[in-house]
Amino acid sequence: MSKHGLRTLFLVLSVSLGCFLRPTLVWAQVATPAQREAVQHLLLQKHVNGLALINGPGDHPEVVSNQVTRDSQQVVRTNRVIPIASFQKLMTGVAINQLVLSGKLALSTPLSAFYPQVANGSQITIGRLMMHTSGLRNVPGKLAAPLEDEAAQRQYMLKHYRSTGKFSWCYSDVDFSFLAAVIHRTTRQSYQNYLADKVSRPLGVRVEFADHLTNGHRVTQAMGKKQGWSTLQRRMSKEPGAGDILCTPVAYWYFLYRGVLDNPTMLAQYTNRQAAWETYFGGAYIEAPYLHANGYLSGYSCTFYSNWESRQTVMLFANNLSYHELRVVNSQLVHAYFDDHRTEQKQINAE
């Protein structure tokens, strides 16, 4: 056979094998009328001002909304940005997992490789940061104005933490702020640019960073919170990697589906933790068959439960719940949508 013929045969076989090996995408079942009704009833019963996203055709969501205000600026909409608080941790976790999968980072890499000044840094691994078992704790601090950029955020972070040397579970935002800083050191680009270039934009998802918005006109206003945009921006700027992002509810739904649930390699990074009895990793709680996350900041709240086997997901965004009310609603949400009445993990309840 000629070289041209061999080359042609090789290309044909490569394409055929690639098609054969490519995983078949199985969409979640569209939410039933009973599921929709149960979620709607819960939003009405709990007076939630917000919306829930449930499974529609393909990877697209259907919307169940409830409004308890006539103020158009306070109505939670699918296409209006809202602070997502700790939902951002999953985005940071996906970014770290990408670097691990590409061999640029390892879960066993110590934090001391990047920040040798951190006490106990040789024992604080990337994996421990991803699992909130680093022993790091946030130290409160006040800001007169929002931090202007990532360099200022890192400087603030390095002055407002303590290292306890206790490597047991403790939910601490600074873990993910350090992970954002590690992404910067590893990739030699800003955390924001890496997240946009390698995580959100390839998924067709747009996010907004708090320091990029000059005013809050495009941001859904929280109910019952007399806070201007500068106040909210100041609070968000202290949480790089862990709470300084805004996006629309629909954008986050697509991030979860395209970035995790429908990415077998990435999904395995999370679901394989179950075998080691780990209950939190990379921005999500893990309790087979669910991935689960919460977010809360200054009156804004969000939560999701996703069955990684069936791909069925329910996601809630609201702006009139206290943190305690969010914790009550989210457990009832999984009951309503999945008809699952399991008790939540002790770690989640103890946050």
Side-chain angles (χ1 to χ4, degrees):
M1 184 179 292
S2 67
K3 290 183 179 180
H4 177 73
L6 286 171
R7 187 161 52 248
T8 302
L9 178 61
F10 175 78
L11 289 173
V12 169
L13 288 173
S14 297
V15 172
S16 299
L17 185 60
C19 293
F20 177 76
L21 294 177
R22 185 177 294 116
T24 301
L25 210 55
V26 179
W27 302 119
Q29 179 182 347
V30 174
T32 65
Q35 286 175 305
R36 170 181 279 276
E37 183 178 345
V39 172
Q40 183 75 73
H41 177 73
L42 177 62
L43 299 187
L44 286 168
Q45 182 186 45
K46 295 299 180 180
H47 307 287
V48 175
N49 190 75
L51 58 84
L53 301 179
I54 59 178
N55 293 95
D59 66 351
H60 305 301
E62 290 187 5
V63 180
V64 180
S65 63
N66 189 59
Q67 301 175 20
V68 297
T69 178
R70 295 182 179 181
D71 186 338
S72 62
Q73 297 299 310
Q74 295 179 341
V75 175
V76 181
R77 304 184 189 279
T78 57
N79 59 353
R80 189 179 179 92
V81 296
I82 188 171
I84 61 171
S86 290
F87 262 19
Q88 181 182 350
K89 291 186 176 76
L90 184 56
M91 292 181 166
T92 302
V94 166
I96 289 289
N97 278 323
Q98 285 183 348
L99 295 173
V100 169
L101 290 168
S102 66
K104 297 178 181 178
L105 198 62
L107 293 177
S108 60
T109 302
L111 183 58
S112 58
F114 305 97
Y115 290 96
Q117 69 269 45
V118 175
N120 307 302
S122 62
Q123 297 172 274
I124 300 172
T125 63
I126 300 303
R128 279 180 166 167
L129 291 169
M130 293 275 272
M131 293 186 290
H132 286 309
T133 57
S134 69
L136 299 180
R137 305 288 186 270
N138 288 85
V139 173
K142 293 183 178 181
L143 291 174
L147 298 168
E148 294 182 356
D149 53 29
E150 283 191 38
Q153 288 178 318
R154 287 190 290 271
Q155 290 177 4
Y156 179 89
M157 174 191 73
L158 290 170
K159 293 179 180 178
H160 293 85
Y161 80 94
R162 63 187 178 94
S163 180
T164 66
K166 299 177 181 179
F167 305 115
S168 56
W169 160 266
C170 184
Y171 192 90
S172 184
D173 290 339
V174 75
D175 287 334
F176 280 75
S177 293
F178 268 105
L179 287 173
V182 166
I183 291 170
H184 162 66
R185 290 286 183 90
T186 303
T187 64
R188 298 185 179 182
Q189 60 179 310
S190 71
Y191 164 79
Q192 294 184 6
N193 285 345
Y194 184 86
L195 200 74
D197 293 344
K198 302 299 183 181
V199 178
S200 65
R201 193 175 296 129
L203 302 175
V205 170
R206 180 177 179 179
V207 300
E208 300 272 7
F209 284 88
D211 62 350
H212 289 183
L213 290 179
T214 57
N215 59 64
H217 293 162
R218 295 174 43 235
V219 182
T220 304
Q221 294 180 3
M223 295 181 62
K225 289 282 183 178
K226 295 181 179 180
Q227 57 184 345
W229 168 240
S230 61
T231 300
L232 181 61
Q233 191 179 36
R234 187 168 64 245
R235 292 172 180 169
M236 294 179 68
S237 71
K238 294 192 293 185
E239 307 290 347
D244 66 332
I245 277 181
L246 308 95
C247 72
T248 67
V250 167
Y252 197 85
W253 174 278
Y254 286 133
F255 156 73
L256 176 63
Y257 261 83
R258 298 169 183 175
V260 182
L261 296 178
D262 293 332
N263 182 333
T265 304
M266 186 61 66
L267 182 61
Q269 290 291 102
Y270 287 88
T271 57
N272 288 347
R273 318 306 298 187
Q274 182 70 22
W277 297 98
E278 293 169 6
T279 56
Y280 185 97
F281 178 77
Y285 294 98
I286 303 163
E287 185 182 10
Y290 300 112
L291 293 180
H292 165 56
N294 296 317
Y296 183 84
L297 174 68
S298 298
Y300 298 96
S301 56
C302 45
T303 187
F304 78 76
Y305 279 87
S306 183
N307 183 317
W308 70 67
E309 295 175 352
S310 69
R311 302 294 198 272
Q312 282 222 314
T313 301
V314 60
M315 187 178 293
L316 174 70
F317 294 85
N319 65 346
N320 71 329
L321 302 178
S322 67
Y323 183 71
H324 174 72
E325 289 169 332
L326 169 66
R327 301 315 302 270
V328 172
V329 168
N330 72 3
S331 61
Q332 294 182 353
L333 194 65
V334 70
H335 299 165
Y337 195 67
F338 294 103
D339 194 26
D340 190 331
H341 295 264
R342 66 178 60 200
T343 302
E344 284 193 287
Q345 302 165 38
K346 291 182 180 180
Q347 290 93 331
I348 299 177
N349 292 329
E351 276 183 38

